[in-house]
Amino acid sequence: MLKHASIRQRIVNLAVPLAVTLILSGVFLSATGDADYMKGKQIFDKNCAVCHKISADKLVGPGLKDVTKRRDKVWLKKFIAASQEMVKSGDKTAKEVFMANGQIPMPDHKFLTDGDLNNVLNYIENFQPEAARKVTVDINKKDGFTNEEIKRGERLFFGLIPFEKGTTLNCASCHATILTDSLNFNPSVLDLAEAWKEQNGTNLYQVLSSPTSQKMTDSHKGLQLADHEIYDMSAYFSEVSKTGMETEKSFPARLLIFLTLGFLMALALADLIFFKKVKYKFIHIIIILGGLGVHVTLAMQEGTRLSRTQDYAPDQPIKFSHKVHAGQNKTDCEYCHSIASSSKSAGIPSPNLCMNCHKVVTQGARSGKFEINKIYRAIETGKSIPWVRIHKLPDHVFFSHEQHVTAGKVKCQQCHGMVENMDIVKQATDLSMGWCVNCHRRTAVQFADNKYYETFKKLHEDYKSGKIKKVTVEQVGGIDCAKCHY
Amino acid sequence: MKQYLIPAALVLLALVSCDRTRNQKGYEYFPDMAHSLAYETYTANTVFANGITDQLPVAGTIPRGIIPFQYPATPEGRLQAGKDLVCPTEPTAANLLKGKELFTRFCNGCHGADGSGKGHLFTSGKFAIQPASLINERMTLAPIGEVYHVITMGFNTMGAHGPQIRPDDRWLISLYVKNELQKKTNQ
């Protein structure tokens, strides 16, 4: 008895830790397996995805499907770390690959540790295209939600109902729900709703379970939603895409000043004529005259602003920032507005032009992938981007960029302000007739050896004899009515 | 006097009550001659199916004064263009100066002022891919037509810049690359 027991005991003693170790190590193994895969994916997405696909298709570099079978692992690690050194030192395979790919050098990746390289290669070897998630609700439904679903979606979006899988997150704290004047590079609800509604737009079920960019990973902080919650959310999006977004009301400061002064003036007038409570008449006079002064000034200011759009700076369909492009990245204005020097219009670039750079730059520091994705969608669907026009002269005025940019050598900034410091383009000048004419009075044209102005005999004589130092636009007819109005 | 005061105040009130946000355009008065009845470059257009006025030429037609570019955007097309194309302008000082100006505008960002492929977009880390060098041996040996082809049709990751730069200007840039940039480094 005792013996048996002891044997049993021994077996148990042995087996339990063994089993536990086995189980633990099993769990552990698969956990590290997953973790390695995810680490590899991160490294790949960050460093390699701009040039390589894990398929047979070529991007900049060759497709990497089965590359771990084609080549030796040690060779691969060396090649990824410093391929050009291998090519130069005469490694035969490296040279072949280099020649076969149009002699484009692959950049060095010496900053990747041996562990990183293992992870990347492991990822490439075991790469699984992300399986479409199995979803229990109708994911293609874009319309016809019930009121209850919409309401629930809205509450979820505002973080009023906790999510089933823990965590509460007030989506509205980042994704603006009212249109305001402040700058916000996160997509607004309307943005999200429209991207979701488009044919090849956001797949909510995919995007909300595995974030598509670093920015989104950081912002969404492991957000997990149940399918039916996403369904409700999409009900809300459907509603938003129909009703649009509320606009923040501006604070009517000038109106308040106007009314307050009006009230004071009325009081003063009443007191002056009927009540006579205040002894000193000059107080009434001051209030009334001062008030009238302010009233007339306000009225004049508003009057001259009629039909003009100075300071207009509307939100654009893509949060395109001149500060990022013309400022930080030093792109010349005419790289994008390339017809300004040769035509009447300065031209707004087409999405194809954006692709010159955004083929490579797939995410922005502030907006993540969302805004740049809009360019890709525009290209795919062939729709043009409906930019909102800002500067617009009335039809009875003729204005040509060519005359000013090429002939007059006027800088863009003189008329448009410091556009390279603007995140949102704002109309800096009032584009009034006085503004055009004043500049024509002040600015000299290039007169001396300009064939275009040969016929101005009298001016040429005066210019040669030194009687006049410069010839302004005015003197060559730049303020004749018919130059601008015809 | 008093009976005028209230209407006057009301008129003024109507004028002032337009505090606007940056998204609001403001008011117009009698804009009878302000909005063009004729279609302009960027006005929406109900006549065409895609809703815009600025249409592409009809398929199969060639606009006046434009010679279509016939070499495909492939490495073979590039080599063929290099063999066939002859530069229509001379590398005079004025042309090279203009070429430099255009190069600075359209190419500097990626290829750098010296053409080494280390432009601002690459050195600032925004571009993961190093743009090609224009002054290495291969490019120095390539005929001018190849430069013109690459500008027009793009190559690898570089997009086609044909739509953006007029043909004459593309030749000026090619002249500048061949006659000044590459000479400078080979001296």
Side-chain angles (χ1 to χ4, degrees), chain A residues 104 253-254 305 307 335 348 395, chain B residues 19-20 27 34 42 156 161:
Chain A
I104 305 167
R254 295 160 71 88
R305 268 168 58 175
S307 299
Y335 183 89
I348 297 293
D395 193 33
Chain B
D19 295 25
R20 41 181 163 150
Y27 298 92
Y42 288 118
N156 263 325
H161 284 59

Side-chain angles (χ1 to χ4, degrees), chain B residues 86-92 95-96 144 148 167-176 179:
Chain B
V86 185
C87 179
T89 37
E90 294 296 316
T92 59
N95 276 346
L96 289 179
I144 190 166
Y148 185 82
D168 294 351
D169 289 348
R170 274 176 254 154
W171 279 118
L172 291 179
I173 296 174
S174 313
L175 273 182
Y176 173 73
N179 290 290

